[in-house]
Amino acid sequence: MGEGEQTRLVAWSREMRAVHERLRGALRLTRQALADGTPAEPATRDLLLFCHGFCAALTAHHEGEDRELFPAIARRHPELQGTLHQLRQDHSMIGHLLVGLSAAVTRGAPPEELGRHLEGVAAIMESHFRYEERQLLTVLETLALDADPADVLGPL
């Protein structure tokens, strides 16, 4: 295996870490937008922008993993079927939480309610990311997947 080929293989683990960090940053911005809002106007334009952008980015990340990454891992590592099943269940749970968050932002829910939604998403998302990284980063260092990282891990 040539040096360029090895760099491409290792890039998948770096890409996943980078995407997770960008999503964590987007969540921080969303939470800051909520903290900066005034009680008279809890769903400011910034909060709407950050929240909808964060929800869309996280959803696209999970859809790409489910569509491209997890099937490729399952073909090469059938022993990880249980792990991949758990990660897909997490994706479903996070998706449900994001729908609730998005609905609350759209209807202009009070800051306390929006904060509870964000806390729930943050807790599950962080747990999911840590589990996914523990279970898959080593596998991703050797995964040969001929695909665009933006299609696989989300367009961040």
Side-chain angles (χ1 to χ4, degrees):
M1 176 180 325
E3 184 180 329
E5 194 174 347
Q6 178 65 29
T7 300
R8 175 165 164 56
L9 294 175
V10 175
W12 284 105
S13 62
R14 284 195 310 256
E15 282 292 323
M16 177 176 277
R17 280 191 189 125
V19 168
H20 285 178
E21 284 307 310
R22 288 192 298 268
L23 286 165
R24 286 175 174 120
L27 180 59
R28 280 190 298 274
L29 287 173
T30 303
R31 293 167 104 178
Q32 187 60 50
L34 176 62
D36 291 345
T38 61
E41 190 180 327
T44 63
R45 273 190 317 197
D46 283 348
L47 179 58
L48 286 168
L49 173 67
F50 289 131
C51 189
H52 287 302
F54 167 73
C55 290
L58 186 55
T59 298
H61 171 65
H62 288 159
E63 288 173 349
E65 285 181 334
D66 290 345
R67 183 184 60 251
E68 299 278 339
L69 186 62
F70 293 173
I73 291 171
R75 284 190 297 274
R76 290 166 183 86
H77 297 277
E79 73 279 8
L80 292 175
Q81 288 291 347
T83 297
L84 298 173
H85 177 73
Q86 178 63 47
L87 291 169
R88 285 186 184 104
Q89 285 184 317
D90 286 355
H91 290 176
S92 178
M93 183 182 350
I94 292 169
H96 177 73
L97 293 172
L98 291 177
V99 167
L101 171 60
S102 184
V105 169
T106 299
R107 69 177 158 73
E112 300 79 27
E113 181 182 342
L114 293 172
R116 285 191 303 272
H117 281 284
L118 285 171
E119 288 301 316
V121 170
I124 300 300
M125 184 185 88
E126 189 58 37
S127 172
H128 170 76
F129 283 175
R130 286 182 181 179
Y131 178 72
E132 187 171 61
E133 290 171 0
R134 274 193 323 271
Q135 298 299 316
L136 299 185
L137 285 180
T138 301
V139 169
L140 291 176
E141 289 176 359
T142 61
L143 183 67
L145 181 61
D146 188 26
D148 180 352
D151 291 338
V152 176
L153 298 174
L156 289 174

